[in-house]
Amino acid sequence: MKQPGLTLTLTALHLLYWRAWAALEVSMEDRREVLLGSGAEIPCVFSLDQPAADLKIEWFVSLSGGNKQRIHYKTGSEEPQVEATRYTDRISVSYNSSTNGNSVLTISSTQLSDEQEYFCRVSADSASDEKHTQLLVFQPPSPPTIEAEKHVSAGSDKMEKIATCIAENAYPAPKVLWHKDGIPLQPSDDDVYVMNSVTVQPSFLQTLQSTLHLKMVKKEDKDAEFYCEISYFTVGGESMMESDHVKITVHYSATELKMYQVSPERLVKEGDRVEIRCEGDGNLSPAITFSRNGDEIESQNENLMVLENVNRANSGEYLCSYTEDWVNYLHSNFTLKVHFMDDVVITPEQPAELDEGQNLSLSCNALCSLPTRTVWYKDNKQLDEGNILTLSSVSSKSSGTYTCKVQAPDLPELSGESSVDVTVRGKPEITDKIEIISLENKNMFNLSCSTTGHPTPNITWSLSDEQTRVDVWNMETDDSVISIITISTTSTVNASCIATNEMGTVLTSISVEPDKFEDSTTVTTGTTSSSTTEPPAETDESPKKKEHVRKESSGFIIAILIILVLLLAIGGSVFYFLYKKGKIPCGRSGKQDLTKESASKDDFWWR
């Protein structure tokens, strides 16, 4: 295939030599440029004033010593002939033997050794003419690589090696120009020295290695950018490439040291891991010594001191220092403050039991190295701020656990708390109205009653018909009691829950009317009174209102009943069976353990 522009070249050569009016004239280009590995086409144009019967066209390549070697030829109308040379398998030649003829030599897969002069000789009758073309083969280099020196000393009057640049596999060898911050560096005897070397590979490709040296490197050169510019010849002219830009590490002595806290990034408290760093304004890595009160502190890192699990005794002044060549002594100080908070103490620690109406003052204190904020809580609800909490005219609702929380606003991680239990003596309080739950056996009902008070109340049940009593279960928690009684009746029974302690007695009452319980899911609540019973009012309200009453039953009592069902299911069924058979007497029971085998599984299950 002919190279682009070859047709125009042949036409131009024809026109030129028609004007010459010579009997035989040969024309060729001075030079032809190709890239390594590509194909090369070399045209030869000739002109005759008349057709020649014995026209002969020959191609030669130059050899060392000025000799030539024929590589291809054609005589008259004979077939073209290829000589046995190293070109044999890589060349082809086209021929046009007219009076304005031409021949084109094509070399495939060009090699660096193909860079020679190629001659075209045309002979006709007794006339002969010969011209030549210089073939140039180029190979651009690979992108240049650059490596900066790891350590360069500032202020030295010797040439310091800065960086090395390498451009590989080029032909011919490229040229290099060094730059600093975009400004070309011209080699000179005083400040800039560039050492270049070219290595020829077995493939004849060439590698350029260039090393830049500078004299009197300055501290400011640590921020300078260095790079090399590679220029090389290729088809069509000269081109260039730049390497990456690099910075050098300039070593220079420090003029001062600085000591500062790295971790934690806040105020220090007891128990923290503290890291303190010492750095100079130089770019060397001097051997730094840490000390306190003249005692050296070991450090695994050359410029970092680590203190584990610090306490207030670690507070004080620390020193870092180093000496360069026993002349330049530098040091820096750092004052460490370790903040602390002692245990939170509430006074009195165990207050005496209070009677209703009395007053109590609680004091909360904690020794701390920072200003603190004190907040009082009861049942996770904030009550007040300040060191003193005053409880005036206490009641049973004042009983409970009081917590004092102390925190340093400047260091929230520094905090503590303490709690104290306050007990108020008072007569019982009925906390929930009596609830009635009909069981699967429509003649049996569970009644529940809960109360609080200190001392812990005792609950008893009073029934208008004691024969309906099946059993009673009581469960105590600190100052509260829950009691459940099971009754069996087909007629109305009045039931009273009576809570008593040494401070007084309260009761609540309810009427159980079996004929009003049409299904086993009905729940009815009673009223609480300190002296009288208030049964629920009888109304002719719609089933919708009854459903509303059922939904208002205490979720807490229902949860307790579920637990009782699980614990007493087996024992209760046996107890109820024996009771129905008359195997055990029917009588009242007082406070009992929840593990007592009492009622049947059917009696305690509701839908």
Side-chain angles (χ1 to χ4, degrees):
M1 178 181 290
K2 293 184 179 180
Q3 292 182 344
L6 180 59
T7 301
L8 293 176
T9 301
L10 293 173
T11 302
L13 293 175
H14 274 301
L15 292 174
L16 177 64
Y17 290 101
W18 264 107
R19 296 189 185 112
W21 296 101
L24 173 61
E25 193 75 32
V26 176
S27 175
M28 295 184 72
E29 297 175 318
D30 291 336
R31 56 191 288 171
R32 198 77 169 167
E33 299 175 348
V34 295
L35 292 177
L36 178 65
S38 65
E41 292 183 342
I42 304 175
C44 173
V45 176
F46 58 90
S47 62
L48 297 169
D49 56 356
Q50 61 183 1
D54 57 347
L55 180 67
K56 185 176 183 180
I57 303 173
E58 299 172 280
W59 283 93
F60 298 86
V61 61
S62 63
L63 298 177
S64 59
N67 297 321
K68 303 176 186 176
Q69 181 183 31
R70 189 169 70 173
I71 57 177
H72 206 284
Y73 68 94
K74 183 178 187 305
T75 303
S77 59
E78 297 179 2
E79 291 294 323
Q81 300 296 316
V82 180
E83 301 284 3
T85 65
R86 66 183 183 88
Y87 294 95
T88 301
D89 297 330
R90 294 192 299 118
I91 64 171
S92 62
V93 180
S94 65
Y95 294 96
N96 180 1
S97 302
S98 64
T99 55
N100 295 313
N102 65 76
S103 178
V104 178
L105 170 65
T106 301
I107 306 174
S108 63
S109 302
T110 53
Q111 304 171 359
L112 294 181
S113 58
D114 294 338
E115 187 171 275
Q116 304 289 344
E117 284 186 323
Y118 293 85
F119 297 83
C120 175
R121 179 184 298 170
V122 180
S123 303
D125 298 333
S126 60
S128 178
D129 193 16
E130 177 182 282
K131 293 291 188 299
H132 67 271
T133 294
Q134 175 69 50
L135 179 64
L136 299 177
V137 181
F138 299 108
Q139 174 61 32
S142 58
T145 60
I146 186 171
E147 183 177 359
E149 283 298 298
K150 295 181 179 179
H151 305 293
V152 178
S153 298
S156 174
D157 57 356
K158 299 179 180 179
M159 284 288 183
E160 293 284 337
K161 184 178 178 181
I162 303 301
T164 299
C165 181
I166 298 177
E168 297 180 311
N169 300 324
Y171 188 86
K175 299 177 182 179
V176 63
L177 179 62
W178 284 93
H179 294 257
K180 174 185 175 183
D181 291 332
I183 300 175
L185 295 174
Q186 300 298 336
S188 65
D189 295 336
D190 296 334
D191 301 321
V192 180
Y193 171 67
V194 177
M195 183 176 68
N196 296 327
S197 64
V198 176
T199 302
V200 179
Q201 309 295 332
S203 62
F204 298 104
L205 293 177
Q206 301 177 16
T207 295
L208 169 68
Q209 178 173 305
S210 178
T211 304
L212 173 67
H213 297 76
L214 295 180
K215 192 175 183 180
M216 296 300 294
V217 177
K218 300 177 181 179
K219 172 182 176 181
E220 293 75 14
D221 289 334
K222 64 183 178 63
D223 299 318
E225 290 189 345
F226 294 87
Y227 65 94
C228 63
E229 178 185 283
I230 300 298
S231 59
Y232 57 94
F233 288 103
T234 186
V235 176
E238 191 173 12
S239 187
M240 56 83 65
M241 289 188 289
E242 286 185 3
S243 70
D244 292 335
H245 295 210
V246 297
K247 292 184 178 182
I248 59 176
T249 300
V250 180
H251 282 182
Y252 48 90
S253 300
T255 57
E256 64 176 354
L257 293 181
K258 180 181 179 182
M259 199 174 183
Y260 59 95
Q261 178 180 311
V262 178
S263 174
E265 296 180 354
R266 54 163 172 76
L267 297 177
V268 179
K269 63 177 180 61
E270 289 188 320
D272 282 342
R273 181 181 188 269
V274 179
E275 295 181 357
I276 299 175
R277 188 179 300 279
C278 181
E279 291 181 343
D281 60 350
N283 206 16
L284 292 171
S285 299
I288 292 176
T289 301
F290 292 94
S291 62
R292 182 188 179 197
N293 298 330
D295 298 326
E296 185 174 335
I297 300 174
E298 291 187 5
S299 175
Q300 296 181 352
N301 189 302
E302 59 186 10
N303 67 345
L304 185 68
M305 178 180 67
V306 178
L307 302 176
E308 301 283 356
N309 194 26
V310 296
N311 56 46
R312 66 195 73 180
N314 294 114
S315 295
E317 188 175 86
Y318 291 80
L319 175 73
C320 75
S321 61
Y322 92 97
T323 301
E324 181 183 3
D325 298 330
W326 302 100
V327 176
N328 186 20
Y329 173 76
L330 300 176
H331 71 277
S332 179
N333 297 344
F334 179 80
T335 299
L336 176 65
K337 175 63 176 179
V338 180
H339 294 283
F340 60 89
M341 177 184 288
D342 288 343
D343 292 339
V344 178
V345 177
I346 297 178
T347 306
E349 294 183 7
Q350 295 296 332
E353 293 182 351
L354 304 174
D355 291 332
E356 290 183 333
Q358 289 186 319
N359 300 327
L360 175 63
S361 179
L362 298 174
S363 175
C364 177
N365 294 284
L367 180 62
C368 183
S369 59
L370 289 170
T372 58
R373 175 175 178 260
T374 303
V375 182
W376 290 91
Y377 296 86
K378 180 177 184 288
D379 298 330
N380 293 324
K381 294 182 180 179
Q382 183 174 332
L383 297 178
D384 200 1
E385 290 191 25
N387 295 85
I388 306 298
L389 177 66
T390 301
L391 303 177
S392 302
S393 189
V394 298
S395 65
S396 60
K397 294 182 179 180
S398 303
S399 296
T401 300
Y402 289 79
T403 301
C404 165
K405 294 185 178 181
V406 181
Q407 186 181 56
D410 294 336
L411 184 56
E413 293 83 357
L414 200 61
S415 63
E417 65 178 60
S418 183
S419 299
V420 65
D421 293 326
V422 174
T423 303
V424 179
R425 294 161 51 90
K427 66 181 181 180
E429 291 184 5
I430 303 295
T431 56
D432 288 299
K433 299 175 182 180
I434 295 176
E435 291 190 0
I436 305 174
I437 302 175
S438 63
L439 305 181
E440 290 187 356
N441 186 335
K442 294 185 178 180
N443 295 329
M444 299 191 71
F445 305 89
N446 279 344
L447 282 66
S448 66
C449 179
S450 59
T451 181
T452 61
H454 188 80
T456 303
N458 178 48
I459 293 181
T460 58
W461 290 88
S462 176
L463 303 174
S464 60
D465 182 1
E466 287 294 333
Q467 294 300 317
T468 63
R469 182 189 299 264
V470 176
D471 213 339
V472 178
W473 293 266
N474 290 337
M475 183 176 70
E476 295 184 7
T477 60
D478 294 337
D479 295 335
S480 64
V481 179
I482 298 174
S483 181
I484 301 174
I485 184 172
T486 302
I487 64 174
S488 177
T489 182
T490 58
S491 59
T492 300
V493 174
N494 293 324
S496 296
C497 172
I498 306 168
T500 304
N501 65 9
E502 61 186 69
M503 306 300 292
T505 300
V506 294
L507 68 83
T508 184
S509 301
I510 196 171
S511 291
V512 181
E513 301 177 47
D515 57 345
K516 290 188 177 182
F517 291 87
E518 297 178 356
D519 57 67
S520 60
T521 61
T522 304
V523 178
T524 304
T525 59
T527 59
T528 302
S529 173
S530 60
S531 59
T532 61
T533 301
E534 299 179 12
E538 297 184 7
T539 65
D540 294 330
E541 296 179 354
S542 65
K544 182 178 180 181
K545 185 170 183 180
K546 289 183 180 180
E547 180 183 357
H548 177 70
V549 173
R550 289 196 296 269
K551 290 183 179 179
E552 289 180 345
S553 60
S554 170
F556 177 72
I557 297 300
I558 292 175
I560 295 300
L561 291 175
I562 292 174
I563 295 173
L564 291 174
V565 168
L566 296 176
L567 294 175
L568 303 176
I570 299 176
S573 61
V574 175
F575 174 84
Y576 187 68
F577 174 78
L578 295 176
Y579 167 71
K580 285 296 186 178
K581 294 295 184 178
K583 299 299 183 179
I584 58 175
C586 176
R588 297 181 61 183
S589 64
K591 187 185 299 183
Q592 300 181 23
D593 196 317
L594 284 177
T595 60
K596 178 178 178 180
E597 299 177 358
S598 300
S600 71
K601 178 180 179 182
D602 292 340
D603 292 343
F604 280 92
W605 184 258
W606 63 93
R607 296 186 180 90

